[in-house]
Amino acid sequence: MHKHALGVELHTPIVLCGKLTSELVLLNVVCTQHETELLTTNALNAINTNKGIYLVSVSDEVGNPLNPQRVIIDISNIKEVYKIVP
């Protein structure tokens, strides 16, 4: 994600490491480079022109990026996207 981690808040929780969560730390979108760039640009500019379902890599349930988890996110389930400041 161009050296930035994005926080994602979901409308409906998903299961992550056996627990329901509505907040994720997005590490990487598992798709083509073009799709990744489009999603990143739109998210950082608060533009939602994407539809569909993406396979993404997120940090685990305690926020550890060294234990990435893969989950499927429906773009319509995203309530808010924000840049995480280290």
Side-chain angles (χ1 to χ4, degrees), residues 4 9 15-16 28 36 39-40 45 50-51 57 71 73 84:
H4 296 288
E9 184 178 351
V15 176
L16 178 65
N28 190 24
T36 302
L39 180 61
T40 302
N45 291 309
N50 293 291
K51 292 184 180 182
S57 176
V71 295
I73 296 179
I84 296 179

Side-chain angles (χ1 to χ4, degrees), residues 24-39:
L24 305 169
V25 177
L26 183 63
L27 302 174
N28 190 24
V29 178
V30 183
C31 59
T32 67
Q33 183 64 29
H34 174 72
E35 289 171 328
T36 302
E37 290 173 3
L38 182 61
L39 180 61

Side-chain angles (χ1 to χ4, degrees), residues 1-16:
M1 305 298 301
H2 300 289
K3 308 295 183 216
H4 296 288
L6 296 177
V8 177
E9 184 178 351
L10 304 173
H11 291 288
T12 304
I14 63 169
V15 176
L16 178 65

Side-chain angles (χ1 to χ4, degrees), residues 50-65:
N50 293 291
K51 292 184 180 182
I53 297 172
Y54 286 85
L55 177 62
V56 295
S57 176
V58 298
S59 62
D60 65 13
E61 79 280 10
V62 294
N64 181 1

